[in-house]
Amino acid sequence: QVQIAESGGGLVQPGGSLRLSCTCFASLFSMYTIAWHRQAPGKQRESIAAINSGGSRNYVDSVKGRFTISRDNAKKTVFLQMNNLQPEDTAVYYCKVQGLQREYWGQGTQVTVSS
């Protein structure tokens, strides 16, 4: 079974930064596309960033230029560097791993941006 561990959430002031980590305990981690999703209160969950096995990245427009997704296959970890955070970024952030047969979700980590 695939296990996912997320960390890095917390409370930050507008303009601040956080780095989220998603570690996936799977032998074929390097082959998987990994994405970050978020769900703000009262809103639908949305995909905000993804990185595939070749390192190609995609971002939703609202985070482009502020967030950077990266991966370290040796550590089986994907990172989301979040800069210039704004209150609108407040949400639970989830790591999603697309495995061979199905997708796996992390438990979520809370990011709160408030003054």
Side-chain angles (χ1 to χ4, degrees):
Q1 296 184 2
V2 173
Q3 292 189 80
I4 299 172
E6 300 168 336
S7 63
L11 174 65
V12 66
Q13 295 194 87
S17 298
L18 288 172
R19 189 171 79 156
L20 306 183
S21 297
C22 171
T23 299
C24 178
F25 301 100
S27 61
L28 297 180
F29 173 83
S30 64
M31 302 297 294
Y32 299 155
T33 293
I34 316 296
W36 285 98
H37 293 236
R38 68 184 181 187
Q39 187 165 22
K43 296 186 177 181
Q44 294 188 47
R45 192 174 298 184
E46 63 170 342
S47 176
I48 59 169
I51 184 167
N52 69 10
S53 61
S56 296
R57 304 166 181 175
N58 288 292
Y59 301 95
V60 69
D61 286 346
S62 60
V63 309
K64 200 167 188 176
R66 299 189 297 125
F67 293 7
T68 302
I69 189 170
S70 61
R71 67 192 299 161
D72 184 338
N73 289 332
K75 296 182 177 180
K76 299 183 185 297
T77 300
V78 168
F79 304 97
L80 185 67
Q81 179 66 47
M82 308 164 68
N83 296 329
N84 192 25
L85 284 160
Q86 301 300 311
E88 307 90 89
D89 297 315
T90 295
V92 178
Y93 285 69
Y94 298 90
C95 179
K96 187 189 78 175
V97 177
Q98 182 156 347
L100 297 178
Q101 302 298 127
R102 56 159 290 185
E103 62 187 30
Y104 302 88
W105 290 88
Q107 80 286 351
T109 183
Q110 177 70 49
V111 172
T112 302
V113 185
S114 176
S115 60

